[in-house]
């Protein structure tokens, strides 16, 4: 999955626009300044890549959250 996300970020030239600031095991954190709606669409696609697991019988659910500056105050990001 991480290689697929890397390829997605590369294909859409997102490494500078949507920087990944943290990657630990299966947790990815991106910086999306001002919650740019175009970048939210890309986050939605990244979430779909993470959840697409045809070889696994148990569904995988990826969560998205948003915070202003303090990670302890993060809230669920609703993707439509």
């Amino acid at each position: 999955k991480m290689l697929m996300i890397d390829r997605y970020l590369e294909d859409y030239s997102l490494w500078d626009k949507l920087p990944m600031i943290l990657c630990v095991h299966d947790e990815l954190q991106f910086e999306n300044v001002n919650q740019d709606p175009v970048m939210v669409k890309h986050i939605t696609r990244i979430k779909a890549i993470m959840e697409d697991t045809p070889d696994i019988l148990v569904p995988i659910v990826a969560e998205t959250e948003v915070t202003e500056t303090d990670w302890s105050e993060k809230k669920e990001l609703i993707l439509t």
Side-chain angles (χ1 to χ4, degrees):
K1 293 301 172 176
M2 297 306 182
L3 291 175
M4 292 174 68
I5 291 170
D6 177 65
R7 190 174 320 125
Y8 179 84
L9 293 170
E10 188 70 34
D11 289 349
Y12 288 92
S13 302
L14 293 174
W15 280 111
D16 292 334
K17 300 173 195 158
L18 188 64
M20 184 185 310
I21 57 174
L22 181 67
C23 175
V24 178
H25 302 292
D26 61 348
E27 181 174 343
L28 308 176
Q29 292 188 4
F30 293 94
E31 183 176 29
N32 182 15
V33 178
N34 299 324
Q35 294 185 25
D36 179 350
V38 173
M39 294 302 116
V40 170
K41 288 182 182 181
H42 287 296
I43 292 170
T44 302
R45 180 64 188 124
I46 291 168
K47 180 180 185 296
I49 292 170
M50 293 291 288
E51 293 179 335
D52 182 29
T53 53
D55 298 336
I56 300 176
L57 299 176
V58 178
I60 302 296
V61 177
E63 297 175 351
T64 54
E65 297 173 327
V66 63
T67 182
E68 292 299 322
T69 54
D70 185 355
W71 289 359
S72 67
E73 298 174 5
K74 63 186 178 182
K75 303 174 285 191
E76 182 179 3
L77 174 61
I78 306 299
L79 302 173
T80 56

